[in-house]
Amino acid sequence: MKKKTVYALLGVAVLGIAGFLISQALSSSLVYFILPSEYARDVESFEGRRVRLGGLVEAGSVQYDEQQLHLTFLVTDGIAGYPVRYDGAPPDLFMENGGVVVEGKFHDGVFVGDNLLVKHSENYHPPTDGSPIDVEELKESLR
Amino acid sequence: MIDSSRDGKRPLWLNLLGLASLALFGVGAYLALFASPPDVNQGDLIRIMYAHVPVAWIGFVAVGVSAVWGMLYLWRSRPIDDVRAVANADAALLFSLLTVVGGMTYSKPTLNTFWTWDAKLTLTALMVALLVGYYIVRGLIEEPQRRARVSAVIMIVVLASLPFNYLAAEWFRTLHPAKSVNLDGSGVTMAPEMLRVLLINVVAAGLVFVYFVSERVRVGKLALSSARERSGFEAAAPATGEVVRVR
């Protein structure tokens, strides 16, 4: 076998191993946010720790005081749900049954957020076709 | 192909390609800004997507093409392959920077942040860092053969990171939305009239990319031939993989 061929095979092998390791590292450590049910399963380990909590805004749970800029709502993943308090205006794409990721800490069962991010689904369509938001699909996107 | 690189004039087909890409870019911009309906949730902000997604895709393509020319250089050590690899690397850097700028513009009004360290964005930052590193390394190495080999390896590493980047939102929890156009045939979660506008903009961005790279290769060939004339015959393309040391 030529020297070049050996080097090429070695290179492919090294890259393959590197890729495998990267994928392992990413999938185990890069959990961008936790779900309410994951918090419920392991409350102690998250107490007082700064985390990102992600889920859907429960329909009918949103209360917003425009004067005081107090926003409260329930974030849920269909299994568990927790009240969220956020001092600030809701983002434009914040909506009931919409995805959110909140950065903050748990205090006595209430998640106090200081940063409210929107996680929208990958469904794009004009408003005229009258189809309601597919909540199941949104939940699927949060898994 | 006719070698028009010697007289230094831009060939007709390249000028026509430039005009065609400009024209299609205009059509794409019109469709994105005026013809496309607004999105049910995002409203007019969806129009940024028509720029962000094509630019990101073409950036990926540019990395892939550059890596292929880099591999060919590693295989047969022809200086022209390095010229082609660099031309595509230029496009890769430009398009990935535009992806980040466009993504930030799109992200602030929709996701409520310019930047966050989720898997998709982290891998994109890594890609930009590696592409910047590509040029730093090229600037540090004097010897053309070694420079070409090392930078080819860097681009292959960038290429190896792309599948993770492309599928980040599917494989990991991210803030960045998941793909709407699935190439594995599992469907498109975008209204057909929006997909049409997106694909026209992808072709427009692709034409701009091909024009840019062709022009860059043409200029690179001129630089290569003038360098050969200056340094004499023996410094030109070695026939085998043997390195010609010029020290």
Side-chain angles (χ1 to χ4, degrees), chain A residues 4 32-33 38 116 122 124, chain B residues 40 75 112 116 173 189 191:
Chain A
K4 262 192 207 171
Y32 180 68
F33 57 83
E38 288 166 346
L116 176 55
E122 64 275 23
Y124 309 98
Chain B
V40 62
W75 197 257
N112 201 29
T116 189
R173 278 181 202 163
T189 56

Side-chain angles (χ1 to χ4, degrees), chain A residues 45-106:
Chain A
S45 72
F46 293 116
E47 193 63 55
R49 254 181 66 196
R50 194 175 156 75
V51 289
R52 292 193 190 94
L53 185 68
L56 294 181
V57 178
E58 181 128 310
S61 74
V62 180
Q63 286 180 327
Y64 178 51
D65 182 343
E66 243 173 276
Q67 264 73 49
Q68 304 288 314
L69 287 175
H70 280 319
L71 177 68
T72 57
F73 59 91
L74 210 70
V75 65
T76 178
D77 60 357
I79 303 164
Y82 286 95
V84 173
R85 211 180 74 210
Y86 172 71
D87 290 336
D92 289 341
L93 266 76
F94 176 88
M95 63 189 87
E96 293 185 345
N97 286 326
V100 284
V101 173
V102 196
E103 294 178 342
K105 278 180 185 176
F106 273 102

Side-chain angles (χ1 to χ4, degrees), chain B residues 161-243:
Chain B
S161 80
L162 285 197
F164 300 98
N165 189 331
Y166 182 64
L167 292 165
E170 270 66 28
W171 288 354
F172 319 110
R173 278 181 202 163
T174 59
L175 192 67
H176 189 284
K179 286 188 284 101
S180 188
V181 179
N182 294 292
L183 298 178
D184 59 2
S186 60
V188 176
T189 56
M190 185 184 292
E193 64 264 46
M194 290 175 159
L195 180 68
R196 211 156 41 230
V197 176
L198 175 64
L199 293 181
I200 288 168
N201 275 289
V202 170
V203 176
L207 275 188
V208 171
F209 161 67
V210 173
Y211 171 71
F212 178 89
V213 169
S214 305
E215 174 66 5
R216 184 68 185 75
V217 169
R218 191 183 71 83
V219 173
K221 272 184 189 166
L222 288 173
L224 190 66
S225 59
S226 72
R228 273 179 187 164
E229 275 156 24
R230 262 187 278 115
S231 64
F233 185 69
E234 96 275 31
T240 63
E242 290 303 308
V243 177

Side-chain angles (χ1 to χ4, degrees), chain B residues 118-136:
Chain B
D118 75 354
K120 181 87 172 178
L121 274 61
T122 305
L123 286 164
T124 305
L126 176 74
M127 175 170 79
V128 172
L130 285 171
L131 290 174
V132 171
Y134 179 94
Y135 287 95
I136 293 172

Side-chain angles (χ1 to χ4, degrees), chain A residues 33 35 55-56 97-100 119-123 134-143, chain B residues 169-170 172-178:
Chain A
F33 57 83
L35 296 169
L56 294 181
N97 286 326
V100 284
K119 176 168 172 56
H120 67 71
S121 81
E122 64 275 23
N123 293 292
D134 189 340
V135 178
E136 287 311 310
E137 211 157 0
L138 267 172
K139 281 180 180 165
E140 188 72 14
S141 79
L142 283 167
R143 263 194 313 113
Chain B
E170 270 66 28
F172 319 110
R173 278 181 202 163
T174 59
L175 192 67
H176 189 284

